[in-house]
């Protein structure tokens, strides 16, 4: 798939090994669809989601690091305001 045909890059980890899946505009026309696809793959395959990158806008999101702790306390996460995703810090995926 040529890079101009990639809307989103989903970065996963499986058994300690990171890898990427590329999504075309047909597979994921919007970020919400890419996030939904990433969650489905995590459930089906047992992978861990690292981040979802939007090639059009340059935006990258990762699962909120504090949600599980807040949910365990029966509260909505105040860090992400219940969105489950937060912007990725640029230094983390620049390497």
């Amino acid at each position: 798939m040529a890079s101009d045909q990639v809307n989103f890059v989903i970065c996963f980890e499986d058994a300690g090994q990171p890898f990427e899946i590329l999504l075309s505009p047909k597979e994921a026309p919007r970020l919400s669809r890419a996030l939904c696809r990433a969650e489905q793959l995590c459930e089906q395959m047992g992978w861990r989601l690292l981040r979802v990158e939007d090639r059009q806008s340059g935006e990258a999101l990762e699962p909120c690091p504090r949600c599980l702790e807040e949910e365990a306390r029966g509260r909505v996460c105040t860090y992400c305001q219940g969105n489950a995703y937060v912007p990725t810090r640029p230094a983390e995926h620049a390497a």
Side-chain angles (χ1 to χ4, degrees), residues 8-9 11 13-14 17-18 33 36-39 42 45 48 51 53-54 57 61-62 64-65 69-70 82-83 87 89:
F8 299 98
V9 177
C11 304
E13 181 180 78
D14 184 31
Q17 298 298 313
R33 182 66 185 121
C36 180
R37 184 68 182 131
E39 290 173 357
C42 285
M45 307 302 291
R48 185 172 77 91
R51 71 185 164 279
E53 300 173 5
D54 182 337
S57 72
L61 296 176
E62 65 185 2
C64 177
E69 183 180 312
E70 293 292 315
N83 291 321
R89 293 173 293 279

Side-chain angles (χ1 to χ4, degrees), residues 8-27:
F8 299 98
V9 177
I10 305 175
C11 304
F12 294 101
E13 181 180 78
D14 184 31
Q17 298 298 313
F19 64 96
E20 297 177 341
I21 292 181
L22 308 177
L23 297 179
S24 70
K26 184 177 181 179
E27 294 169 307

